[in-house]
Amino acid sequence: MSKNLQAFSIVFLGICIVLGSWLISKSLITNHVVIDESNNEQNRYDFITIASDYFVIFDKQKGEYWMKIGSSDWEKQLSFSNLAE
């Protein structure tokens, strides 16, 4: 009985190792997702840190920017294109 149990245990362990390896390999396969580059909303804003308490957010699409100094509120500033007009 002991030899049969040992042989069964070795076969069962082998099956578990093979099955576990197969499951891990299947979970590592990535699905190729095509990113739509026409949508520029993700790269629309730039967050610029000038100093530890001086921040600027620049909107690339409209050319507007907001500034925050210290604990004050965000203030919309004139865009550079509006200064020439």
Side-chain angles (χ1 to χ4, degrees):
M1 176 92 177
S2 178
K3 275 194 164 209
N4 288 340
L5 184 60
Q6 185 178 9
F8 176 75
S9 298
I10 291 172
V11 170
F12 181 74
L13 180 62
I15 291 172
C16 288
I17 290 173
V18 169
L19 183 62
S21 299
W22 180 77
L23 289 173
I24 290 172
S25 69
K26 287 296 181 185
S27 69
L28 293 177
I29 294 175
T30 59
N31 294 334
H32 298 288
V33 178
V34 177
I35 298 173
D36 185 15
E37 294 293 332
S38 64
N39 187 359
N40 292 329
E41 287 295 318
Q42 183 178 1
N43 297 325
R44 180 177 174 179
Y45 298 99
D46 274 339
F47 184 79
I48 305 165
T49 303
I50 297 174
S52 63
D53 61 346
Y54 186 34
F55 306 102
V56 175
I57 295 179
F58 179 71
D59 184 353
K60 293 178 188 176
Q61 202 172 51
K62 293 183 179 179
E64 301 172 340
Y65 67 99
W66 293 268
M67 296 174 61
K68 178 179 174 124
I69 301 172
S71 61
S72 66
D73 291 334
W74 288 97
E75 296 178 9
K76 184 175 179 182
Q77 304 294 320
L78 291 174
S79 66
F80 296 113
S81 62
N82 289 344
L83 294 175
E85 294 176 357

